[in-house]
Amino acid sequence: ILPNITIKYSLQDSKRDAGKAFFAALQVAEWGSSFVMGPASSGPTMNAQLILREYKVPQISYSATSALLSNTETYPYFSRTPPSDALQARGQASLVQLFNWTIVATVSSTDGYGAAGIDAFHAQADEVGITVLAQVRFQPDQDDFTEQLNMLKNSKAKVFVMFCAAQDASPLLEQAYKKGLTGEGFVWIGSDSVSKSTTWDLMSLSEPEKMSIMKGYLGLNPFRGDGTQIYNEFVDRWVAQEPTMDPDTGDCSNETDAAGSFIWRRTDVYEDTDERFGEEVCGGLSFNSDVNSYAPYSYDGTYVFAHALHRMIVEEGLGRVLEDGEVKLDGAQFLSYIRNVSFPGVSGQVELESSGDRTVGVAYEILNHAGTDSGLNIIGIWRAGEELSICDPNDPTFITECHDLVWSTADNSVPVDWVEPLVCSAGEGMIMGANGNYMCEICAAGSFPLTGQVDNSTGEVLTLCRPCPAGSFTPSAGKSECTACVDLPAAQNYYQDLEGQTECKRCPMNTFRLGGQRGVAVMECTCKETYWQPELAENSLPCEACPAGGVCHGTHEDPNSIDVGKNYRPYPMQEFWGVKEDPSLFLECEEGMCEGGEEFSCVKGYEGRLCSECLQGHWSIGDDCGYKCKEDDKDVGQAFFMIGATSCVIMVWLGMNRIVSEEHDSLDLLLQYLQIGDIISSFQLHWTTKIANVQEIISVVNFEVDLVAIWKCYMFWNYSWSFILSLILPTVVGTFKLVTSWRYLFYYFKYARNKTEP
């Protein structure tokens, strides 16, 4: 074909980058290209088409399989020789159906290849009744797949359909292995890009670990025509080529394209951020190696152009011939010839639809990894329009070598597609079994099953046995919930301050738990009426009966009070005095002097310990402090009354001691009797009021200088001063008596000694 016609070409490298593909397409379009082969991958191909459609330059890809490229409005000048991923997705769905799986989970990249491919699978799954439990996506070149893998594990699916590039599938499967999502019982079904040795070669694991991951893997890969006569002839021509780099000298081929650029000697391999930027690299090829999987499609794509050109130029004489002999083509017209070619190609019969897709002559290898270094083995071939099936290794008519199907299960049985989520019975919780899977166990006494905790490694919501919280209990194993102490009969007598208990504790003796509390601490147990708690700070000892002379109100029960639950301190009842240093001790007061109460009150006019002192601003007659001082400190009448009263006490005392004691022995004995009685009356005994009044009167015999103590209105006075005065005053009076009685001494010394009378 194309006799006497030379095809000139210019080569650009997209580096499988969408941005670089855009500008590379712009260069070849402005160079005047009539058609473009490439670039590789769907994303770069889409960007290149955005330029080429404007220049009306037909484009054929040998590896762009995204279903999005079938849109003729967006990509009108695009065609391809490999099948669309929509067809591959149909094959994946057929593969799922073949093994009677009805439930799967899917994972894909978000680029054009992964997103469109998995969307096509979802559409096909809906059509044939396959349920997709989880759909997870990730960014190309993503490093961490924790979130996506947690979703997959939580779905409980055992069959995963994957659509992405090999460089993304490798770290994803490696992390899936660490999450327990590969190996025994799991099946991964990958797209053509995943179904390459690159997928496990890039893993940073030991070889046995890699094989454990890949064992049982299923995948589809476009069938290149292996085993056919045309394919074998193509391979012969392939290996007959001269290497692009001399194996002995290492010299690189100097072959150039029509633009004068080296084809194999490249200086644009490394990015400007690489220290090797600008370094020359030889794209050396040894054609004795295996044929690249895309080579047959690239070869057939070139012949699509060639057959279209031959029919258009040679057979129909179309095209505008320039002065230099160059033929200028109309892009739209040339596209129509491209879409109507039909010829036997290396990869099979080549025919294109109006959308540029190829459906005739395409087939897929069904691949399986045996978990050995043999890698991916063919277990069948699926052709479009035919039912998918597995080949028979003993069939000699099969087009290529057929291998036995290997599963990841220990007995090589077909894995199940889904494990029903573990649901424990009432009173049971989950525990991790020895095999890494959860199992149910009966919750022990003191615990209950609680749902809500999430397994961070899987995202699974768990039901675990947890200790009953404080304030509750379970008396035996297998209880679905804890019983609150406040719900027990006579609940006011129970609490529980610890977790994981099998019973509640009783409140200490003579206490009860206030209503409205949670029953989680002994502090909630408070004293009953007429009881008190000696150790108020501890609030954990039994309450005791109120001490003698005291009043106990138990506990503050007003729920609106800030003191609710606070134990009252005992206070003295009427006629008793409380010792603040010892709340359990109460002393009985003189009758009518102590009012008691929380403030330890005294009757009017009294204060101090046992209400035995006159209140400041009061004076007394005997023990009666009920006389209030005049507000005017200079009140003359009050002063004269004080002087007169004091003088009366002194005169009475002098009269009794001088006249009575000196003249009448019997009265002297009576005086001594009364003085002794006054001393006895000072004892803290329960004297009657009448006796106490008589004692006040006769106290003068003991020189009670404060019998009438009006001087308390004028000076500070206390018992100490009274005691000192009581001691000093007899001495003063005695001295006064000696001074006033000097004449008796004189006569004594003058006459008594001489036994004479004066």
Side-chain angles (χ1 to χ4, degrees), residues 332-551:
Q333 189 178 39
F334 184 35
L335 180 64
S336 65
Y337 281 87
I338 290 174
R339 298 284 171 81
N340 283 284
V341 298
S342 178
F343 64 93
V346 173
S347 60
Q349 182 67 24
V350 178
E351 293 181 13
L352 301 180
E353 296 181 342
S354 59
S355 63
D357 285 339
R358 179 184 175 190
T359 57
V360 176
V362 294
Y364 283 93
E365 299 171 338
I366 305 173
L367 303 175
N368 170 237
H369 202 297
T372 65
D373 54 9
S374 64
L376 291 167
N377 299 316
I378 296 177
I379 59 171
I381 293 178
W382 174 66
R383 290 180 173 81
E386 297 180 4
E387 185 176 347
L388 187 146
S389 62
I390 302 301
C391 63
D392 181 358
N394 298 317
D395 183 3
T397 63
F398 190 66
I399 195 171
T400 185
E401 184 180 2
C402 179
H403 295 263
D404 289 318
L405 175 57
V406 177
W407 295 111
S408 61
T409 51
D411 58 357
N412 206 40
S413 60
V414 179
V416 297
D417 55 0
W418 180 63
V419 176
E420 186 174 354
L422 181 64
V423 178
C424 296
S425 301
E428 294 183 340
M430 301 176 183
I431 59 169
M432 182 71 74
N435 60 357
N437 296 321
Y438 284 101
M439 56 186 293
C440 294
E441 69 167 357
I442 297 175
C443 293
S447 65
F448 74 108
L450 178 64
T451 301
Q453 182 173 329
V454 177
D455 187 330
N456 293 328
S457 65
T458 66
E460 182 178 2
V461 179
L462 306 176
T463 298
L464 303 175
C465 293
R466 287 288 180 250
C468 288
S472 64
F473 73 102
T474 53
S476 58
K479 297 295 183 182
S480 58
E481 60 182 14
C482 300
T483 301
C485 295
V486 298
D487 293 335
L488 291 176
Q492 287 186 319
N493 294 323
Y494 293 94
Y495 74 96
Q496 181 53 261
D497 55 353
L498 301 176
E499 293 183 345
Q501 300 302 302
T502 59
E503 61 182 5
C504 292
K505 298 177 181 178
R506 280 187 176 274
C507 286
M509 187 179 297
N510 300 321
T511 66
F512 72 105
R513 188 181 51 75
L514 288 174
Q517 303 294 318
R518 296 186 299 146
V520 297
V522 70
M523 295 288 290
E524 298 177 18
C525 298
T526 54
C527 294
K528 297 178 180 179
E529 185 74 19
T530 73
Y531 288 88
W532 76 295
Q533 202 166 51
E535 297 292 338
L536 294 176
E538 294 294 332
N539 206 47
S540 60
L541 298 177
C543 293
E544 298 179 356
C546 202
V551 177

Side-chain angles (χ1 to χ4, degrees), residues 116-188:
I118 209 66
D119 286 346
F121 174 81
H122 290 156
Q124 189 66 26
D126 287 342
E127 185 176 324
V128 298
I130 298 173
T131 300
V132 180
L133 290 178
Q135 304 176 21
V136 300
R137 301 175 189 258
F138 59 85
Q139 296 292 328
D141 301 320
Q142 185 171 311
D143 296 324
D144 187 0
F145 300 91
T146 300
E147 180 181 352
Q148 288 81 4
L149 293 174
N150 283 345
M151 293 176 64
L152 292 180
K153 191 162 189 176
N154 201 37
S155 72
K156 299 297 182 181
K158 305 286 279 187
V159 177
F160 305 111
V161 177
M162 181 166 48
F163 236 108
C164 61
Q167 60 266 28
D168 291 322
S170 179
L172 186 146
L173 287 172
E174 184 173 339
Q175 292 178 38
Y177 165 73
K178 296 175 181 178
K179 289 278 189 181
L181 289 172
T182 63
E184 177 76 25
F186 287 96
V187 179
W188 288 80

Side-chain angles (χ1 to χ4, degrees), residues 221-240:
N221 201 40
F223 179 60
R224 302 175 301 175
D226 302 50
T228 64
Q229 181 180 350
I230 296 178
Y231 181 83
N232 292 337
E233 291 173 354
F234 164 73
V235 172
D236 291 340
R237 293 192 298 273
W238 174 270
V239 298

Side-chain angles (χ1 to χ4, degrees), residues 13-31:
D13 188 1
S14 70
K15 304 182 187 299
R16 284 197 166 182
D17 179 85
K20 289 181 173 60
F22 180 89
F23 291 105
L26 182 61
Q27 285 184 288
V28 296
E30 292 184 341
W31 179 68

Side-chain angles (χ1 to χ4, degrees), residues 301-318:
T302 303
Y303 269 86
V304 169
F305 285 130
H307 282 287
L309 284 172
H310 182 85
R311 183 178 174 188
M312 183 177 177
I313 298 174
V314 177
E315 294 181 3
E316 299 186 11
L318 300 177

